Structures are given as structure tokens and as C-alpha cells.
Amino acid sequence: MLRPRRRGMASVNAEVRDGIVPAAGSLAKTHDEGPPVSGANYRLVALIIASALFMEFVDATVLATALPTMARDFGVRPQEMSVALTSYLLALAIFIPASGMIADRFGSRTVFRTAILLFVLGSLACGQSLSLEMMVISRFLQGIGGAMMIPVGRLVLLRSVAKQDMVNAMSWLLVPALIGPIIGPPLGGLIVTYLDWRWIFYINLPMGILGFYLVGRFIANIREDDPGRFDTPGFVLSGLSLGCLLFGFEMVSRPGEGATASVLILIGLATGLFYILHARRRENKGESAILDLSLMRDDTFRLSVIAGSITRITQGAQPFLLPLMMQVGFGFSAARSGTITVATAIGSLAMKSFAPRVLRRFGFRRALIWNGVIATAGYAICGLFNPSWPVWTMFCVLALSGFFMSFQFTAYNTIAYDGIDKKQMSRATAFYSTFQQLMLSLGICVAAMALHLAMQAGGHEAPTLTDFSIAFWVVTTLSLTATFWNLRFAPDAGSEISGHAPAEDDEARKEAA
């Protein structure tokens, strides 16, 4: 089995983010020691946090199924709805690094309740949206709440539960994270088909209001005595850079927005350069920047970030392209589309018990190389889908693709922290989480851009099956280049975690010869 050394909550939180739709990230700064003895209500605390996670996961997976219907109501092309997904993920990428510092300063209960409130208000605003522009702003507000809700929930759990009770508490926390993506697509399809898409957001209201009350009733307001100085310049620079780059790439796919997109991308690159200079200055002073670039000096962490980021382009594009292709390209109803796309979540869930045995047998390097090719090829097959394919065939392809891709991210999320010291763990999880959200957002942008360019090349007003196929193959080709970085992992990388001994492979080859 995978041993928990260096893994713990950081890796688990990363695993529940990768999958169909990401949740929020880890803390920028926490203490990983819990109390000597858990409180009497620690299961209830875990359940409250799990409910927030469930609400966030269901909301995100439900929305992907509803995009074509929302596009018709807003009077825009379906591919333009990508900005509604991007704006949420962008808010996560911007505010995840700051969430831990904010909780340390103002208290975990105060920030957790505020996060739930922002998520509920964002949901209400989404349900009342009359235009795409209003939806984008509302989703960004939701994203701010989501960026703080789960990271601060992790802090609450770590500080409320003793180590000996952590496994029990985690079982309450992880089940909603795994169930949410499974029920999300069919639930979204049923709502869109038989009700109004606005109910997708209204269903968050009662759960959010109940959570707001329970947090105030059962969770203590723990804060740091000396939270340290908040890296305001770093927060502003990193936020500007991420925001301008993502919305610049998103606007490239919009007709007549090329000049604006170019300006945004240039601003994003410039502010990103300024952030790098700022981070180095803080490092020279012995202070930590909001995103610690010095972590990239660790070979295993750096390779996991780079290869995982490239692979996440496909993972971000998939929940955007699949529902559009099935509803716009195939003419399927939202309900039928949702019952098919749920296959990826089922495949992801089925993988969890296999990962430890596979990694122990083959090691991280070989597993990442070959499984990465298989997982990417599985999503490339989606580009061959057409209405004549039997539903069960498409379901099986998606389930297998979800299975292999989930394994890939489990491996990346585990090996990333192999060489990270415990005192750097919180900064490493914040850095890693931010890049997860950034690349998932970029995947949506790349998919929308590829779809738009394919339509332009073919002279199509609406996307055809060929256009969707090209978009799938563009994102999977980009993700396939992660193989180059996977080859650079050391043969014994993560061997202490997996239990795999590279020397055994050499002996086996000698015996076979």
C-alpha cells in the first residue's frame, strides 16, 4: 500500500480536486498537528465541511451539462459559455494562495462562514443572471467563496481532530467529494430537461444557509497569534497576471476581440515577470512570497508541476467539450448527455483501489509514462464519437478514460511532495493547487479556441462534429507532450512512498536473459 509519509491531507485534497471538476486548493499556511484528543463533535465538524465540498462539486458538474441551454437563453454561441467556467476557476487560482493567510488573521470560523455566504450569494446571482456578462461576474463571486471554503475547511478539520481519528474524519470528508461528480451530470440533465436551468444554482441556497448556521454553532474561531505580514504586492501581481492571461486566451476565440486579447496577454506576461522579481526579492530577505517559486528547485516537485499541468489541459477541456458535442453536435437532450458523461466520474472512483498496487509494481516513473499515453489516447478517442455509436460504447470509453486519467493525477499529486520538507508543505500545496486551477482553466480556453478556429477554417456558423473532433485532438496532442517530462523522473522517484524497488526490475531482466 501507499505509505502516508509526506502525503497526508495535502495529497488527498489534491486528488479530490482532479477528476471531473476541481474543487478548491490547500492552505497557504497551516499547522498539520491536530489536538491530542478530538472534540465530542468532530464527526459533525467533518460532516459540515463535507457538505460544503459536496455543494461545490455538485454545482460545478451540474453546470457543464446546462451550458448549451444557457447559451440559447443568453443569445450567445455555445462555445462562448466557456467563460462562465473559466471565471470560476480563475477565482480559485487567484484566491487559493491567500486563503490560509486570511484564515490565520481573521479566524477559521469567520472565514469559513464568509466563504459559504459568498458562495450562496454567488449562486443566487447566477440564478438571476440575464446575460452572459452577469453570469461571469456571479461565477467569479462563487469562485471566491469556493477558493476559501474547502481550504479553510481543511484547516478546521486539522485543528479539530486528533491524529488517531483523522482516518475516520476523512471518510466523512471524501465520500461527498467522490459522489458529487457522479450525481452532478445526470442531476443537471434532469433539471435542464424538466425544470429551468436556474434551479441548478437555487439548490445551493438551503444547503448553504444550513451550513452557515452549523458552522457558527459547532466550529471554533481559531486564529494564529502571529499571522505574519500578508504579501499584498504578490497577491495583486499574481492575480493580475493570472486574470489577464486567462481572459486574454479566452477572448482569442471571440470574433473581433483579437486586439483586446493581445493587450490582456501582454499585461499578464508583464505582471507575471514583475511577480517573479518580487518573489525573488522576498526570498532574498528571508520572507515567503504568496507563491513560493523556490519550490521549483526540487526536481520531483518541478516535474510533477510541469507534466501535471500539461496533462490538465485535457482534463479541463473535457467537461466543456463533451456536453457541447453531445447536445449541439449529436442533438441529445441534456438528460441523456448527463447520463453518458457521468461515466468519467465512475471510472475515476473505480481506480482508487488499484493505484497503490500498480505503483508498487511498476514505480512512479514507468506508471506515469505509459499510463499518461493511455489516458490521453482515451480522450482522443472521444473525437471519433458520433450519434451512430452505441451509448454503451461511449460510456465504456469515457469510464476507461476517467479511470486512467484519475490514476495519472493520483500519481502526480502523490509524488509531487516526495522531496518537500514538512515546513514547506503548506506553501507547496498552495503553489501546486494554484497551478492545478490555472491549467484546468487554460484547458477550457484552449478547447474554446481550437473549436472556434476549426469553425472558421470550415466556414461553419455552428460547430460540427468535425470541429469538435479537431478540438479534442488539439488538447490531447498538447497533453501528450507531458510524456517528455515524465521521462525525466528519476527511476527511483517516489520509491519510499510506493514501495517499488527499481533494482528488482534489473534483477528480473538479468534472470530473464
PDB file of all heavy atoms in Angstrom, residues 233 237 273-287 289:
ATOM      1  N   PRO A 233       1.582  42.919  -2.280  1.00  0.00           N
ATOM      2  CA  PRO A 233       2.077  43.110  -3.653  1.00  0.00           C
ATOM      3  C   PRO A 233       2.078  41.815  -4.460  1.00  0.00           C
ATOM      4  O   PRO A 233       1.705  41.808  -5.642  1.00  0.00           O
ATOM      5  CB  PRO A 233       3.498  43.639  -3.443  1.00  0.00           C
ATOM      6  CG  PRO A 233       3.496  44.227  -2.081  1.00  0.00           C
ATOM      7  CD  PRO A 233       2.567  43.387  -1.281  1.00  0.00           C
ATOM      8  N   LEU A 237      -0.030  41.231  -7.907  1.00  0.00           N
ATOM      9  CA  LEU A 237       0.692  40.912  -9.139  1.00  0.00           C
ATOM     10  C   LEU A 237       0.292  39.544  -9.690  1.00  0.00           C
ATOM     11  O   LEU A 237       0.046  39.396 -10.899  1.00  0.00           O
ATOM     12  CB  LEU A 237       2.198  40.959  -8.889  1.00  0.00           C
ATOM     13  CG  LEU A 237       2.818  42.349  -8.706  1.00  0.00           C
ATOM     14  CD1 LEU A 237       4.266  42.236  -8.277  1.00  0.00           C
ATOM     15  CD2 LEU A 237       2.706  43.155  -9.993  1.00  0.00           C
ATOM     16  N   LEU A 273       6.136  38.685 -14.945  1.00  0.00           N
ATOM     17  CA  LEU A 273       7.571  38.937 -14.801  1.00  0.00           C
ATOM     18  C   LEU A 273       7.853  39.759 -13.541  1.00  0.00           C
ATOM     19  O   LEU A 273       8.797  39.462 -12.793  1.00  0.00           O
ATOM     20  CB  LEU A 273       8.093  39.668 -16.035  1.00  0.00           C
ATOM     21  CG  LEU A 273       9.579  40.056 -16.025  1.00  0.00           C
ATOM     22  CD1 LEU A 273      10.449  38.810 -15.893  1.00  0.00           C
ATOM     23  CD2 LEU A 273       9.942  40.839 -17.282  1.00  0.00           C
ATOM     24  N   PHE A 274       7.017  40.779 -13.303  1.00  0.00           N
ATOM     25  CA  PHE A 274       7.188  41.576 -12.088  1.00  0.00           C
ATOM     26  C   PHE A 274       6.994  40.729 -10.833  1.00  0.00           C
ATOM     27  O   PHE A 274       7.678  40.939  -9.821  1.00  0.00           O
ATOM     28  CB  PHE A 274       6.214  42.762 -12.080  1.00  0.00           C
ATOM     29  CG  PHE A 274       6.620  43.893 -12.965  1.00  0.00           C
ATOM     30  CD1 PHE A 274       5.737  44.412 -13.906  1.00  0.00           C
ATOM     31  CD2 PHE A 274       7.884  44.456 -12.878  1.00  0.00           C
ATOM     32  CE1 PHE A 274       6.111  45.457 -14.735  1.00  0.00           C
ATOM     33  CE2 PHE A 274       8.273  45.500 -13.696  1.00  0.00           C
ATOM     34  CZ  PHE A 274       7.383  46.005 -14.635  1.00  0.00           C
ATOM     35  N   TYR A 275       6.052  39.776 -10.899  1.00  0.00           N
ATOM     36  CA  TYR A 275       5.848  38.911  -9.735  1.00  0.00           C
ATOM     37  C   TYR A 275       7.088  38.071  -9.463  1.00  0.00           C
ATOM     38  O   TYR A 275       7.486  37.890  -8.305  1.00  0.00           O
ATOM     39  CB  TYR A 275       4.637  37.989  -9.917  1.00  0.00           C
ATOM     40  CG  TYR A 275       4.528  37.037  -8.750  1.00  0.00           C
ATOM     41  CD1 TYR A 275       3.989  37.464  -7.550  1.00  0.00           C
ATOM     42  CD2 TYR A 275       5.062  35.743  -8.823  1.00  0.00           C
ATOM     43  CE1 TYR A 275       3.953  36.627  -6.444  1.00  0.00           C
ATOM     44  CE2 TYR A 275       5.031  34.907  -7.729  1.00  0.00           C
ATOM     45  CZ  TYR A 275       4.477  35.354  -6.537  1.00  0.00           C
ATOM     46  OH  TYR A 275       4.465  34.531  -5.447  1.00  0.00           O
ATOM     47  N   ILE A 276       7.705  37.528 -10.517  1.00  0.00           N
ATOM     48  CA  ILE A 276       8.908  36.715 -10.334  1.00  0.00           C
ATOM     49  C   ILE A 276      10.007  37.536  -9.663  1.00  0.00           C
ATOM     50  O   ILE A 276      10.679  37.067  -8.727  1.00  0.00           O
ATOM     51  CB  ILE A 276       9.383  36.167 -11.695  1.00  0.00           C
ATOM     52  CG1 ILE A 276       8.360  35.156 -12.237  1.00  0.00           C
ATOM     53  CG2 ILE A 276      10.757  35.515 -11.563  1.00  0.00           C
ATOM     54  CD1 ILE A 276       8.656  34.676 -13.642  1.00  0.00           C
ATOM     55  N   LEU A 277      10.192  38.788 -10.111  1.00  0.00           N
ATOM     56  CA  LEU A 277      11.192  39.666  -9.489  1.00  0.00           C
ATOM     57  C   LEU A 277      10.834  39.946  -8.032  1.00  0.00           C
ATOM     58  O   LEU A 277      11.703  39.946  -7.149  1.00  0.00           O
ATOM     59  CB  LEU A 277      11.290  40.975 -10.280  1.00  0.00           C
ATOM     60  CG  LEU A 277      11.781  40.838 -11.731  1.00  0.00           C
ATOM     61  CD1 LEU A 277      11.688  42.191 -12.432  1.00  0.00           C
ATOM     62  CD2 LEU A 277      13.204  40.306 -11.760  1.00  0.00           C
ATOM     63  N   HIS A 278       9.554  40.181  -7.772  1.00  0.00           N
ATOM     64  CA  HIS A 278       9.088  40.430  -6.402  1.00  0.00           C
ATOM     65  C   HIS A 278       9.329  39.212  -5.508  1.00  0.00           C
ATOM     66  O   HIS A 278       9.818  39.345  -4.371  1.00  0.00           O
ATOM     67  CB  HIS A 278       7.599  40.776  -6.433  1.00  0.00           C
ATOM     68  CG  HIS A 278       6.920  40.665  -5.098  1.00  0.00           C
ATOM     69  ND1 HIS A 278       7.043  41.605  -4.113  1.00  0.00           N
ATOM     70  CD2 HIS A 278       6.106  39.677  -4.592  1.00  0.00           C
ATOM     71  CE1 HIS A 278       6.343  41.235  -3.057  1.00  0.00           C
ATOM     72  NE2 HIS A 278       5.764  40.071  -3.319  1.00  0.00           N
ATOM     73  N   ALA A 279       9.017  38.019  -6.020  1.00  0.00           N
ATOM     74  CA  ALA A 279       9.198  36.800  -5.228  1.00  0.00           C
ATOM     75  C   ALA A 279      10.669  36.574  -4.892  1.00  0.00           C
ATOM     76  O   ALA A 279      11.008  36.148  -3.783  1.00  0.00           O
ATOM     77  CB  ALA A 279       8.626  35.598  -5.987  1.00  0.00           C
ATOM     78  N   ARG A 280      11.541  36.856  -5.841  1.00  0.00           N
ATOM     79  CA  ARG A 280      12.977  36.686  -5.581  1.00  0.00           C
ATOM     80  C   ARG A 280      13.477  37.682  -4.542  1.00  0.00           C
ATOM     81  O   ARG A 280      14.332  37.336  -3.711  1.00  0.00           O
ATOM     82  CB  ARG A 280      13.747  36.832  -6.890  1.00  0.00           C
ATOM     83  CG  ARG A 280      13.574  35.635  -7.833  1.00  0.00           C
ATOM     84  CD  ARG A 280      14.319  35.815  -9.127  1.00  0.00           C
ATOM     85  NE  ARG A 280      14.214  34.629  -9.965  1.00  0.00           N
ATOM     86  CZ  ARG A 280      14.663  34.560 -11.216  1.00  0.00           C
ATOM     87  NH1 ARG A 280      15.248  35.621 -11.769  1.00  0.00           N
ATOM     88  NH2 ARG A 280      14.523  33.444 -11.906  1.00  0.00           N
ATOM     89  N   ARG A 281      12.972  38.904  -4.569  1.00  0.00           N
ATOM     90  CA  ARG A 281      13.372  39.892  -3.566  1.00  0.00           C
ATOM     91  C   ARG A 281      12.947  39.447  -2.172  1.00  0.00           C
ATOM     92  O   ARG A 281      13.705  39.556  -1.211  1.00  0.00           O
ATOM     93  CB  ARG A 281      12.780  41.257  -3.904  1.00  0.00           C
ATOM     94  CG  ARG A 281      13.519  42.009  -5.000  1.00  0.00           C
ATOM     95  CD  ARG A 281      13.144  43.479  -5.002  1.00  0.00           C
ATOM     96  NE  ARG A 281      11.723  43.673  -5.240  1.00  0.00           N
ATOM     97  CZ  ARG A 281      11.184  43.851  -6.441  1.00  0.00           C
ATOM     98  NH1 ARG A 281      11.955  43.835  -7.520  1.00  0.00           N
ATOM     99  NH2 ARG A 281       9.892  44.024  -6.576  1.00  0.00           N
ATOM    100  N   ARG A 282      11.720  38.950  -2.053  1.00  0.00           N
ATOM    101  CA  ARG A 282      11.250  38.471  -0.747  1.00  0.00           C
ATOM    102  C   ARG A 282      12.061  37.275  -0.273  1.00  0.00           C
ATOM    103  O   ARG A 282      12.356  37.139   0.913  1.00  0.00           O
ATOM    104  CB  ARG A 282       9.756  38.111  -0.808  1.00  0.00           C
ATOM    105  CG  ARG A 282       8.849  39.315  -0.862  1.00  0.00           C
ATOM    106  CD  ARG A 282       7.377  38.903  -0.796  1.00  0.00           C
ATOM    107  NE  ARG A 282       7.027  38.349   0.499  1.00  0.00           N
ATOM    108  CZ  ARG A 282       6.510  39.038   1.512  1.00  0.00           C
ATOM    109  NH1 ARG A 282       6.317  40.351   1.389  1.00  0.00           N
ATOM    110  NH2 ARG A 282       6.186  38.441   2.647  1.00  0.00           N
ATOM    111  N   GLU A 283      12.421  36.406  -1.212  1.00  0.00           N
ATOM    112  CA  GLU A 283      13.228  35.244  -0.842  1.00  0.00           C
ATOM    113  C   GLU A 283      14.597  35.684  -0.328  1.00  0.00           C
ATOM    114  O   GLU A 283      15.115  35.130   0.649  1.00  0.00           O
ATOM    115  CB  GLU A 283      13.395  34.333  -2.060  1.00  0.00           C
ATOM    116  CG  GLU A 283      14.163  33.056  -1.764  1.00  0.00           C
ATOM    117  CD  GLU A 283      14.364  32.198  -2.999  1.00  0.00           C
ATOM    118  OE1 GLU A 283      13.662  32.448  -4.008  1.00  0.00           O
ATOM    119  OE2 GLU A 283      15.218  31.298  -2.956  1.00  0.00           O
ATOM    120  N   ASN A 284      15.184  36.693  -0.966  1.00  0.00           N
ATOM    121  CA  ASN A 284      16.494  37.192  -0.524  1.00  0.00           C
ATOM    122  C   ASN A 284      16.420  37.828   0.865  1.00  0.00           C
ATOM    123  O   ASN A 284      17.404  37.861   1.600  1.00  0.00           O
ATOM    124  CB  ASN A 284      17.037  38.213  -1.532  1.00  0.00           C
ATOM    125  CG  ASN A 284      17.404  37.571  -2.856  1.00  0.00           C
ATOM    126  OD1 ASN A 284      17.703  36.381  -2.916  1.00  0.00           O
ATOM    127  ND2 ASN A 284      17.363  38.353  -3.935  1.00  0.00           N
ATOM    128  N   LYS A 285      15.230  38.335   1.222  1.00  0.00           N
ATOM    129  CA  LYS A 285      15.041  38.926   2.540  1.00  0.00           C
ATOM    130  C   LYS A 285      14.654  37.879   3.590  1.00  0.00           C
ATOM    131  O   LYS A 285      14.440  38.213   4.755  1.00  0.00           O
ATOM    132  CB  LYS A 285      13.937  39.989   2.491  1.00  0.00           C
ATOM    133  CG  LYS A 285      14.282  41.209   1.637  1.00  0.00           C
ATOM    134  CD  LYS A 285      13.109  42.169   1.617  1.00  0.00           C
ATOM    135  CE  LYS A 285      13.382  43.390   0.744  1.00  0.00           C
ATOM    136  NZ  LYS A 285      12.215  44.308   0.690  1.00  0.00           N
ATOM    137  N   GLY A 286      14.517  36.629   3.172  1.00  0.00           N
ATOM    138  CA  GLY A 286      14.110  35.582   4.101  1.00  0.00           C
ATOM    139  C   GLY A 286      12.615  35.533   4.323  1.00  0.00           C
ATOM    140  O   GLY A 286      12.162  34.918   5.294  1.00  0.00           O
ATOM    141  N   GLU A 287      11.819  36.163   3.446  1.00  0.00           N
ATOM    142  CA  GLU A 287      10.364  36.163   3.564  1.00  0.00           C
ATOM    143  C   GLU A 287       9.764  35.309   2.448  1.00  0.00           C
ATOM    144  O   GLU A 287      10.350  35.160   1.372  1.00  0.00           O
ATOM    145  CB  GLU A 287       9.817  37.595   3.475  1.00  0.00           C
ATOM    146  CG  GLU A 287      10.328  38.525   4.565  1.00  0.00           C
ATOM    147  CD  GLU A 287       9.840  39.954   4.375  1.00  0.00           C
ATOM    148  OE1 GLU A 287       9.419  40.283   3.242  1.00  0.00           O
ATOM    149  OE2 GLU A 287       9.871  40.724   5.340  1.00  0.00           O
ATOM    150  N   ALA A 289       6.991  34.550  -0.416  1.00  0.00           N
ATOM    151  CA  ALA A 289       6.011  35.171  -1.301  1.00  0.00           C
ATOM    152  C   ALA A 289       4.737  34.344  -1.278  1.00  0.00           C
ATOM    153  O   ALA A 289       4.717  33.198  -0.811  1.00  0.00           O
ATOM    154  CB  ALA A 289       6.562  35.261  -2.721  1.00  0.00           C
TER     155      ALA A 289
END
